[in-house]
Amino acid sequence: MPNLIKITDFGNRELDVYARMTEAQLLNRDHPEEGLFIAESPKVIERALDARYIPVSLLVETRHITGEASGIIARCEEIPIYTADFEILTQLTGFALTRGALCVMRRRKLPSVEEVCRNAKRIAVLENVMNPTNVGAIIRSAAALNMDAVLLSQGCSNPLYRRAIRVSMGTVFQIPWTFLEEGESKEQSGIQMLQELGFKTAAMALSDDSVSIDDERIRKEEKLAIVLGTEGDGLAPMMIAECDYTVRIPMSHGVDSLNVAAASAVAFWQLGLR
């Protein structure tokens, strides 16, 4: 039998994780082994469970207990399952739950860059992409459009922030990813590390020496890392200088660039192995 607990007290400390803890508190940088994240919607929670993430508790809208959330409830019978009607949950969390379900799960130790890149032919590298919506959208495109892994600089939003997970539709649990080492010089050595692992690196940027994304030399590279920069300023000049190619997407109607998430989808489709 599921461990259903009807919410009667908003001040219950066990509900802090849903109502009062910030993303930074969930991440718990000082004690990462105790870090948590929140997955939203039954489909996304299902994908996290399939990836063997450990659930801590569920928050479910009452009407979904025997409906859309019934499958995940059946897989989480041993943990607390807090439940209430839509209006109460919205008041508690401050937002309307997608498909009426949230699940707190434990983070786990991230793999090394070498582990993530092992056997990979196409990877995405994100530099300082700070918007969690963009991070989630890029990871979804990477999973869908033939990337084998994603690497992120320390300045990027964490892929396990709730919004990033939701926008990715749970693909953050389906494609390998990890962070590059901290510090500017180490980020640069991250690019050098990829080159040492046999990857050619392609910086998506506008510059005088940019080549078109349909350049056959890039498409034919056996192992390729596609490097994308922050939403406003793009890639740092130092990062561009370290890469083997600088690549542009041809534009029309006087448009100079695309949002980084849109640009990533174009790049992954054009340069992914199919």
Side-chain angles (χ1 to χ4, degrees):
M1 287 288 293
N3 183 18
L4 296 175
I5 303 169
K6 189 170 181 62
I7 295 172
T8 57
D9 179 10
F10 277 20
N12 185 338
R13 291 188 61 184
E14 293 181 347
L15 297 176
D16 283 353
V17 67
Y18 296 105
R20 290 170 283 275
M21 290 181 69
T22 66
E23 293 281 14
Q25 289 172 317
L26 291 172
L27 181 59
N28 201 346
R29 289 186 186 276
D30 292 336
H31 301 282
E33 71 281 359
E34 299 175 10
L36 303 169
F37 67 89
I38 295 177
E40 182 179 357
S41 87
K43 180 179 287 188
V44 170
I45 295 168
E46 193 85 38
R47 286 177 173 170
L49 292 171
D50 289 344
R52 301 186 183 279
Y53 281 90
I54 298 173
V56 175
S57 67
L58 275 168
L59 184 67
V60 182
E61 186 182 342
T62 302
R63 69 188 179 96
H64 287 301
I65 291 174
T66 56
E68 292 192 55
S70 60
I72 58 171
I73 288 174
R75 297 177 66 174
C76 298
E77 289 190 341
E78 295 181 1
I79 64 173
I81 302 171
Y82 300 100
T83 181
D85 292 336
F86 175 82
E87 293 77 11
I88 293 175
L89 293 186
T90 301
Q91 185 179 347
L92 175 70
T93 62
F95 58 89
L97 279 63
T98 303
R99 302 295 183 185
L102 297 176
C103 185
V104 176
M105 294 184 154
R106 297 196 183 281
R107 292 175 183 262
R108 57 194 185 202
K109 184 179 179 181
L110 290 176
S112 67
V113 171
E114 291 89 344
E115 288 174 296
V116 164
C117 292
R118 189 175 297 134
N119 302 320
K121 299 294 185 183
R122 291 291 186 270
I123 63 172
V125 181
L126 309 187
E127 183 194 44
N128 298 337
V129 179
M130 295 171 281
N131 186 317
T133 297
N134 281 336
V135 169
I138 292 168
I139 288 179
R140 184 175 183 180
S141 292
L145 300 174
N146 305 298
M147 295 296 105
D148 299 312
V150 178
L151 300 177
L152 305 98
S153 77
Q154 292 290 327
C156 288
S157 178
N158 194 288
L160 293 185
Y161 283 176
R162 183 185 65 85
R163 184 177 294 276
I165 296 171
R166 180 172 61 80
V167 171
S168 83
M169 284 301 296
T171 54
V172 293
F173 308 121
Q174 296 175 294
I175 185 171
W177 59 269
T178 197
F179 282 93
L180 292 165
E181 293 181 35
E182 193 166 13
E184 185 176 308
S185 63
K186 290 183 178 179
E187 282 183 18
Q188 292 167 11
S189 70
I191 292 296
Q192 293 169 4
M193 181 190 299
L194 291 176
Q195 292 166 337
E196 291 171 3
L197 290 172
F199 286 90
K200 293 294 184 179
T201 51
M204 301 299 300
L206 298 173
S207 66
D208 293 339
D209 62 348
S210 295
V211 299
S212 176
I213 196 170
D214 57 7
D215 190 304
E216 278 300 306
R217 292 173 298 169
I218 310 171
R219 183 82 169 81
K220 289 179 179 178
E221 292 289 359
E222 181 182 356
K223 298 173 73 173
L224 185 68
I226 301 168
V227 188
L228 299 127
T230 187
E231 295 86 346
D233 299 329
L235 289 170
M238 241 180 235
M239 179 72 83
I240 296 172
E242 286 206 14
C243 290
D244 299 293
Y245 299 98
T246 306
V247 182
R248 71 179 183 277
I249 299 171
M251 302 283 161
S252 63
H253 297 290
V255 177
D256 61 354
S257 65
L258 296 172
N259 164 274
V260 64
S264 74
V266 174
F268 300 160
W269 170 253
Q270 178 65 26
L271 300 175
L273 293 176
R274 300 188 292 277

PDB file of all heavy atoms in Angstrom, residues 102-130:
ATOM      1  N   LEU A 102       5.295  16.206  -8.112  1.00  0.00           N
ATOM      2  CA  LEU A 102       6.697  16.535  -7.893  1.00  0.00           C
ATOM      3  C   LEU A 102       7.336  15.382  -7.129  1.00  0.00           C
ATOM      4  O   LEU A 102       6.680  14.746  -6.301  1.00  0.00           O
ATOM      5  CB  LEU A 102       6.859  17.813  -7.069  1.00  0.00           C
ATOM      6  CG  LEU A 102       6.349  19.141  -7.628  1.00  0.00           C
ATOM      7  CD1 LEU A 102       6.534  20.240  -6.577  1.00  0.00           C
ATOM      8  CD2 LEU A 102       7.072  19.503  -8.904  1.00  0.00           C
ATOM      9  N   CYS A 103       8.608  15.144  -7.392  1.00  0.00           N
ATOM     10  CA  CYS A 103       9.329  14.098  -6.664  1.00  0.00           C
ATOM     11  C   CYS A 103      10.704  14.617  -6.261  1.00  0.00           C
ATOM     12  O   CYS A 103      11.456  15.111  -7.110  1.00  0.00           O
ATOM     13  CB  CYS A 103       9.496  12.849  -7.534  1.00  0.00           C
ATOM     14  SG  CYS A 103      10.261  11.447  -6.657  1.00  0.00           S
ATOM     15  N   VAL A 104      11.007  14.545  -4.970  1.00  0.00           N
ATOM     16  CA  VAL A 104      12.343  14.870  -4.487  1.00  0.00           C
ATOM     17  C   VAL A 104      13.220  13.634  -4.651  1.00  0.00           C
ATOM     18  O   VAL A 104      12.843  12.533  -4.244  1.00  0.00           O
ATOM     19  CB  VAL A 104      12.307  15.302  -3.015  1.00  0.00           C
ATOM     20  CG1 VAL A 104      13.719  15.537  -2.492  1.00  0.00           C
ATOM     21  CG2 VAL A 104      11.474  16.555  -2.844  1.00  0.00           C
ATOM     22  N   MET A 105      14.405  13.831  -5.254  1.00  0.00           N
ATOM     23  CA  MET A 105      15.320  12.714  -5.492  1.00  0.00           C
ATOM     24  C   MET A 105      16.728  13.086  -5.065  1.00  0.00           C
ATOM     25  O   MET A 105      17.070  14.260  -4.963  1.00  0.00           O
ATOM     26  CB  MET A 105      15.310  12.328  -6.975  1.00  0.00           C
ATOM     27  CG  MET A 105      13.978  11.762  -7.437  1.00  0.00           C
ATOM     28  SD  MET A 105      14.054  11.212  -9.149  1.00  0.00           S
ATOM     29  CE  MET A 105      12.764   9.958  -9.142  1.00  0.00           C
ATOM     30  N   ARG A 106      17.533  12.066  -4.817  1.00  0.00           N
ATOM     31  CA  ARG A 106      18.915  12.292  -4.398  1.00  0.00           C
ATOM     32  C   ARG A 106      19.808  12.502  -5.626  1.00  0.00           C
ATOM     33  O   ARG A 106      19.711  11.769  -6.610  1.00  0.00           O
ATOM     34  CB  ARG A 106      19.434  11.107  -3.590  1.00  0.00           C
ATOM     35  CG  ARG A 106      18.670  10.888  -2.304  1.00  0.00           C
ATOM     36  CD  ARG A 106      19.421   9.985  -1.330  1.00  0.00           C
ATOM     37  NE  ARG A 106      18.617   9.743  -0.135  1.00  0.00           N
ATOM     38  CZ  ARG A 106      18.480  10.599   0.854  1.00  0.00           C
ATOM     39  NH1 ARG A 106      19.109  11.763   0.807  1.00  0.00           N
ATOM     40  NH2 ARG A 106      17.733  10.311   1.904  1.00  0.00           N
ATOM     41  N   ARG A 107      20.676  13.521  -5.526  1.00  0.00           N
ATOM     42  CA  ARG A 107      21.711  13.670  -6.538  1.00  0.00           C
ATOM     43  C   ARG A 107      22.738  12.557  -6.355  1.00  0.00           C
ATOM     44  O   ARG A 107      22.780  11.899  -5.319  1.00  0.00           O
ATOM     45  CB  ARG A 107      22.396  15.037  -6.412  1.00  0.00           C
ATOM     46  CG  ARG A 107      21.475  16.198  -6.774  1.00  0.00           C
ATOM     47  CD  ARG A 107      22.156  17.532  -6.529  1.00  0.00           C
ATOM     48  NE  ARG A 107      21.235  18.620  -6.818  1.00  0.00           N
ATOM     49  CZ  ARG A 107      21.208  19.297  -7.958  1.00  0.00           C
ATOM     50  NH1 ARG A 107      22.078  19.008  -8.915  1.00  0.00           N
ATOM     51  NH2 ARG A 107      20.332  20.271  -8.150  1.00  0.00           N
ATOM     52  N   ARG A 108      23.574  12.370  -7.365  1.00  0.00           N
ATOM     53  CA  ARG A 108      24.649  11.398  -7.212  1.00  0.00           C
ATOM     54  C   ARG A 108      25.938  11.972  -7.783  1.00  0.00           C
ATOM     55  O   ARG A 108      25.929  12.989  -8.482  1.00  0.00           O
ATOM     56  CB  ARG A 108      24.289  10.082  -7.893  1.00  0.00           C
ATOM     57  CG  ARG A 108      23.966  10.160  -9.359  1.00  0.00           C
ATOM     58  CD  ARG A 108      23.311   8.857  -9.800  1.00  0.00           C
ATOM     59  NE  ARG A 108      23.077   8.811 -11.231  1.00  0.00           N
ATOM     60  CZ  ARG A 108      22.177   8.012 -11.804  1.00  0.00           C
ATOM     61  NH1 ARG A 108      21.423   7.219 -11.059  1.00  0.00           N
ATOM     62  NH2 ARG A 108      22.027   8.013 -13.116  1.00  0.00           N
ATOM     63  N   LYS A 109      27.026  11.343  -7.461  1.00  0.00           N
ATOM     64  CA  LYS A 109      28.331  11.835  -7.895  1.00  0.00           C
ATOM     65  C   LYS A 109      28.388  11.895  -9.411  1.00  0.00           C
ATOM     66  O   LYS A 109      27.999  10.939 -10.101  1.00  0.00           O
ATOM     67  CB  LYS A 109      29.442  10.925  -7.359  1.00  0.00           C
ATOM     68  CG  LYS A 109      30.835  11.407  -7.689  1.00  0.00           C
ATOM     69  CD  LYS A 109      31.895  10.479  -7.113  1.00  0.00           C
ATOM     70  CE  LYS A 109      33.298  10.978  -7.485  1.00  0.00           C
ATOM     71  NZ  LYS A 109      34.351  10.079  -6.959  1.00  0.00           N
ATOM     72  N   LEU A 110      28.890  13.028  -9.918  1.00  0.00           N
ATOM     73  CA  LEU A 110      28.979  13.188 -11.367  1.00  0.00           C
ATOM     74  C   LEU A 110      30.157  12.397 -11.921  1.00  0.00           C
ATOM     75  O   LEU A 110      31.198  12.267 -11.272  1.00  0.00           O
ATOM     76  CB  LEU A 110      29.139  14.669 -11.721  1.00  0.00           C
ATOM     77  CG  LEU A 110      27.921  15.557 -11.486  1.00  0.00           C
ATOM     78  CD1 LEU A 110      28.264  17.010 -11.803  1.00  0.00           C
ATOM     79  CD2 LEU A 110      26.733  15.099 -12.320  1.00  0.00           C
ATOM     80  N   PRO A 111      30.020  11.894 -13.145  1.00  0.00           N
ATOM     81  CA  PRO A 111      31.144  11.196 -13.771  1.00  0.00           C
ATOM     82  C   PRO A 111      32.236  12.182 -14.187  1.00  0.00           C
ATOM     83  O   PRO A 111      32.008  13.401 -14.253  1.00  0.00           O
ATOM     84  CB  PRO A 111      30.501  10.541 -14.999  1.00  0.00           C
ATOM     85  CG  PRO A 111      29.332  11.426 -15.324  1.00  0.00           C
ATOM     86  CD  PRO A 111      28.826  11.934 -14.005  1.00  0.00           C
ATOM     87  N   SER A 112      33.407  11.677 -14.495  1.00  0.00           N
ATOM     88  CA  SER A 112      34.496  12.520 -14.983  1.00  0.00           C
ATOM     89  C   SER A 112      34.273  12.843 -16.464  1.00  0.00           C
ATOM     90  O   SER A 112      33.458  12.202 -17.150  1.00  0.00           O
ATOM     91  CB  SER A 112      35.835  11.798 -14.821  1.00  0.00           C
ATOM     92  OG  SER A 112      35.886  10.674 -15.692  1.00  0.00           O
ATOM     93  N   VAL A 113      35.000  13.828 -16.952  1.00  0.00           N
ATOM     94  CA  VAL A 113      34.937  14.159 -18.376  1.00  0.00           C
ATOM     95  C   VAL A 113      35.335  12.951 -19.214  1.00  0.00           C
ATOM     96  O   VAL A 113      34.699  12.643 -20.226  1.00  0.00           O
ATOM     97  CB  VAL A 113      35.853  15.365 -18.686  1.00  0.00           C
ATOM     98  CG1 VAL A 113      35.962  15.591 -20.197  1.00  0.00           C
ATOM     99  CG2 VAL A 113      35.330  16.617 -18.004  1.00  0.00           C
ATOM    100  N   GLU A 114      36.376  12.261 -18.771  1.00  0.00           N
ATOM    101  CA  GLU A 114      36.827  11.079 -19.529  1.00  0.00           C
ATOM    102  C   GLU A 114      35.741  10.019 -19.612  1.00  0.00           C
ATOM    103  O   GLU A 114      35.539   9.400 -20.668  1.00  0.00           O
ATOM    104  CB  GLU A 114      38.087  10.480 -18.888  1.00  0.00           C
ATOM    105  CG  GLU A 114      39.325  11.345 -19.027  1.00  0.00           C
ATOM    106  CD  GLU A 114      39.467  12.330 -17.874  1.00  0.00           C
ATOM    107  OE1 GLU A 114      38.480  12.553 -17.133  1.00  0.00           O
ATOM    108  OE2 GLU A 114      40.571  12.887 -17.724  1.00  0.00           O
ATOM    109  N   GLU A 115      35.037   9.780 -18.505  1.00  0.00           N
ATOM    110  CA  GLU A 115      33.961   8.785 -18.503  1.00  0.00           C
ATOM    111  C   GLU A 115      32.839   9.176 -19.460  1.00  0.00           C
ATOM    112  O   GLU A 115      32.320   8.354 -20.207  1.00  0.00           O
ATOM    113  CB  GLU A 115      33.402   8.625 -17.091  1.00  0.00           C
ATOM    114  CG  GLU A 115      34.326   7.911 -16.128  1.00  0.00           C
ATOM    115  CD  GLU A 115      33.756   7.914 -14.711  1.00  0.00           C
ATOM    116  OE1 GLU A 115      33.614   9.003 -14.132  1.00  0.00           O
ATOM    117  OE2 GLU A 115      33.459   6.819 -14.203  1.00  0.00           O
ATOM    118  N   VAL A 116      32.454  10.454 -19.423  1.00  0.00           N
ATOM    119  CA  VAL A 116      31.366  10.930 -20.270  1.00  0.00           C
ATOM    120  C   VAL A 116      31.733  10.831 -21.750  1.00  0.00           C
ATOM    121  O   VAL A 116      30.886  10.525 -22.595  1.00  0.00           O
ATOM    122  CB  VAL A 116      31.004  12.387 -19.890  1.00  0.00           C
ATOM    123  CG1 VAL A 116      30.169  13.042 -20.974  1.00  0.00           C
ATOM    124  CG2 VAL A 116      30.238  12.412 -18.573  1.00  0.00           C
ATOM    125  N   CYS A 117      33.006  11.089 -22.050  1.00  0.00           N
ATOM    126  CA  CYS A 117      33.439  11.123 -23.458  1.00  0.00           C
ATOM    127  C   CYS A 117      33.849   9.767 -24.005  1.00  0.00           C
ATOM    128  O   CYS A 117      34.084   9.634 -25.211  1.00  0.00           O
ATOM    129  CB  CYS A 117      34.601  12.101 -23.609  1.00  0.00           C
ATOM    130  SG  CYS A 117      34.132  13.818 -23.344  1.00  0.00           S
ATOM    131  N   ARG A 118      33.947   8.787 -23.131  1.00  0.00           N
ATOM    132  CA  ARG A 118      34.356   7.464 -23.597  1.00  0.00           C
ATOM    133  C   ARG A 118      33.348   6.925 -24.618  1.00  0.00           C
ATOM    134  O   ARG A 118      32.146   6.911 -24.383  1.00  0.00           O
ATOM    135  CB  ARG A 118      34.468   6.511 -22.403  1.00  0.00           C
ATOM    136  CG  ARG A 118      35.104   5.163 -22.738  1.00  0.00           C
ATOM    137  CD  ARG A 118      35.287   4.347 -21.479  1.00  0.00           C
ATOM    138  NE  ARG A 118      36.216   4.996 -20.552  1.00  0.00           N
ATOM    139  CZ  ARG A 118      36.003   5.141 -19.261  1.00  0.00           C
ATOM    140  NH1 ARG A 118      34.867   4.701 -18.727  1.00  0.00           N
ATOM    141  NH2 ARG A 118      36.901   5.734 -18.498  1.00  0.00           N
ATOM    142  N   ASN A 119      33.833   6.526 -25.770  1.00  0.00           N
ATOM    143  CA  ASN A 119      33.027   5.987 -26.881  1.00  0.00           C
ATOM    144  C   ASN A 119      32.159   7.036 -27.572  1.00  0.00           C
ATOM    145  O   ASN A 119      31.392   6.701 -28.481  1.00  0.00           O
ATOM    146  CB  ASN A 119      32.136   4.829 -26.409  1.00  0.00           C
ATOM    147  CG  ASN A 119      32.929   3.691 -25.801  1.00  0.00           C
ATOM    148  OD1 ASN A 119      34.005   3.336 -26.306  1.00  0.00           O
ATOM    149  ND2 ASN A 119      32.424   3.117 -24.718  1.00  0.00           N
ATOM    150  N   ALA A 120      32.238   8.309 -27.148  1.00  0.00           N
ATOM    151  CA  ALA A 120      31.429   9.353 -27.788  1.00  0.00           C
ATOM    152  C   ALA A 120      32.079   9.818 -29.087  1.00  0.00           C
ATOM    153  O   ALA A 120      33.306   9.877 -29.206  1.00  0.00           O
ATOM    154  CB  ALA A 120      31.266  10.539 -26.849  1.00  0.00           C
ATOM    155  N   LYS A 121      31.253  10.158 -30.058  1.00  0.00           N
ATOM    156  CA  LYS A 121      31.706  10.715 -31.332  1.00  0.00           C
ATOM    157  C   LYS A 121      31.291  12.176 -31.498  1.00  0.00           C
ATOM    158  O   LYS A 121      31.952  12.942 -32.194  1.00  0.00           O
ATOM    159  CB  LYS A 121      31.125   9.895 -32.493  1.00  0.00           C
ATOM    160  CG  LYS A 121      31.543   8.434 -32.513  1.00  0.00           C
ATOM    161  CD  LYS A 121      33.025   8.280 -32.781  1.00  0.00           C
ATOM    162  CE  LYS A 121      33.401   6.797 -32.921  1.00  0.00           C
ATOM    163  NZ  LYS A 121      34.877   6.631 -33.113  1.00  0.00           N
ATOM    164  N   ARG A 122      30.189  12.548 -30.876  1.00  0.00           N
ATOM    165  CA  ARG A 122      29.677  13.906 -30.958  1.00  0.00           C
ATOM    166  C   ARG A 122      29.265  14.362 -29.558  1.00  0.00           C
ATOM    167  O   ARG A 122      28.464  13.693 -28.885  1.00  0.00           O
ATOM    168  CB  ARG A 122      28.458  13.993 -31.890  1.00  0.00           C
ATOM    169  CG  ARG A 122      28.766  13.775 -33.374  1.00  0.00           C
ATOM    170  CD  ARG A 122      29.565  14.935 -33.926  1.00  0.00           C
ATOM    171  NE  ARG A 122      29.776  14.870 -35.366  1.00  0.00           N
ATOM    172  CZ  ARG A 122      30.815  14.271 -35.942  1.00  0.00           C
ATOM    173  NH1 ARG A 122      31.718  13.640 -35.201  1.00  0.00           N
ATOM    174  NH2 ARG A 122      30.957  14.295 -37.259  1.00  0.00           N
ATOM    175  N   ILE A 123      29.836  15.497 -29.102  1.00  0.00           N
ATOM    176  CA  ILE A 123      29.458  16.019 -27.796  1.00  0.00           C
ATOM    177  C   ILE A 123      29.165  17.516 -27.908  1.00  0.00           C
ATOM    178  O   ILE A 123      29.662  18.195 -28.815  1.00  0.00           O
ATOM    179  CB  ILE A 123      30.540  15.774 -26.724  1.00  0.00           C
ATOM    180  CG1 ILE A 123      31.834  16.504 -27.079  1.00  0.00           C
ATOM    181  CG2 ILE A 123      30.796  14.293 -26.524  1.00  0.00           C
ATOM    182  CD1 ILE A 123      32.872  16.455 -25.981  1.00  0.00           C
ATOM    183  N   ALA A 124      28.346  18.013 -26.991  1.00  0.00           N
ATOM    184  CA  ALA A 124      28.077  19.442 -26.882  1.00  0.00           C
ATOM    185  C   ALA A 124      28.817  19.983 -25.665  1.00  0.00           C
ATOM    186  O   ALA A 124      28.875  19.328 -24.624  1.00  0.00           O
ATOM    187  CB  ALA A 124      26.578  19.689 -26.732  1.00  0.00           C
ATOM    188  N   VAL A 125      29.400  21.179 -25.809  1.00  0.00           N
ATOM    189  CA  VAL A 125      30.089  21.840 -24.707  1.00  0.00           C
ATOM    190  C   VAL A 125      29.437  23.206 -24.503  1.00  0.00           C
ATOM    191  O   VAL A 125      29.346  24.000 -25.444  1.00  0.00           O
ATOM    192  CB  VAL A 125      31.588  22.020 -25.012  1.00  0.00           C
ATOM    193  CG1 VAL A 125      32.290  22.698 -23.832  1.00  0.00           C
ATOM    194  CG2 VAL A 125      32.251  20.677 -25.318  1.00  0.00           C
ATOM    195  N   LEU A 126      28.965  23.481 -23.283  1.00  0.00           N
ATOM    196  CA  LEU A 126      28.288  24.738 -22.984  1.00  0.00           C
ATOM    197  C   LEU A 126      29.179  25.596 -22.095  1.00  0.00           C
ATOM    198  O   LEU A 126      29.674  25.131 -21.065  1.00  0.00           O
ATOM    199  CB  LEU A 126      26.957  24.483 -22.264  1.00  0.00           C
ATOM    200  CG  LEU A 126      26.002  23.474 -22.901  1.00  0.00           C
ATOM    201  CD1 LEU A 126      24.670  23.480 -22.153  1.00  0.00           C
ATOM    202  CD2 LEU A 126      25.805  23.746 -24.371  1.00  0.00           C
ATOM    203  N   GLU A 127      29.387  26.860 -22.508  1.00  0.00           N
ATOM    204  CA  GLU A 127      30.166  27.799 -21.715  1.00  0.00           C
ATOM    205  C   GLU A 127      29.245  28.877 -21.148  1.00  0.00           C
ATOM    206  O   GLU A 127      28.667  29.671 -21.879  1.00  0.00           O
ATOM    207  CB  GLU A 127      31.266  28.465 -22.549  1.00  0.00           C
ATOM    208  CG  GLU A 127      32.138  29.395 -21.704  1.00  0.00           C
ATOM    209  CD  GLU A 127      33.011  30.324 -22.536  1.00  0.00           C
ATOM    210  OE1 GLU A 127      32.531  30.898 -23.523  1.00  0.00           O
ATOM    211  OE2 GLU A 127      34.182  30.480 -22.163  1.00  0.00           O
ATOM    212  N   ASN A 128      29.087  28.868 -19.824  1.00  0.00           N
ATOM    213  CA  ASN A 128      28.373  29.925 -19.096  1.00  0.00           C
ATOM    214  C   ASN A 128      26.944  30.156 -19.599  1.00  0.00           C
ATOM    215  O   ASN A 128      26.475  31.293 -19.649  1.00  0.00           O
ATOM    216  CB  ASN A 128      29.154  31.234 -19.149  1.00  0.00           C
ATOM    217  CG  ASN A 128      30.508  31.118 -18.474  1.00  0.00           C
ATOM    218  OD1 ASN A 128      30.714  30.255 -17.620  1.00  0.00           O
ATOM    219  ND2 ASN A 128      31.446  31.960 -18.863  1.00  0.00           N
ATOM    220  N   VAL A 129      26.251  29.080 -19.941  1.00  0.00           N
ATOM    221  CA  VAL A 129      24.825  29.190 -20.286  1.00  0.00           C
ATOM    222  C   VAL A 129      24.061  29.189 -18.962  1.00  0.00           C
ATOM    223  O   VAL A 129      23.873  28.147 -18.337  1.00  0.00           O
ATOM    224  CB  VAL A 129      24.369  28.038 -21.207  1.00  0.00           C
ATOM    225  CG1 VAL A 129      22.879  28.175 -21.524  1.00  0.00           C
ATOM    226  CG2 VAL A 129      25.185  28.052 -22.499  1.00  0.00           C
ATOM    227  N   MET A 130      23.635  30.360 -18.537  1.00  0.00           N
ATOM    228  CA  MET A 130      23.132  30.546 -17.173  1.00  0.00           C
ATOM    229  C   MET A 130      21.631  30.365 -17.019  1.00  0.00           C
ATOM    230  O   MET A 130      21.131  30.201 -15.913  1.00  0.00           O
ATOM    231  CB  MET A 130      23.543  31.932 -16.668  1.00  0.00           C
ATOM    232  CG  MET A 130      25.047  32.088 -16.529  1.00  0.00           C
ATOM    233  SD  MET A 130      25.563  33.800 -16.190  1.00  0.00           S
ATOM    234  CE  MET A 130      25.456  34.517 -17.831  1.00  0.00           C
TER     235      MET A 130
END
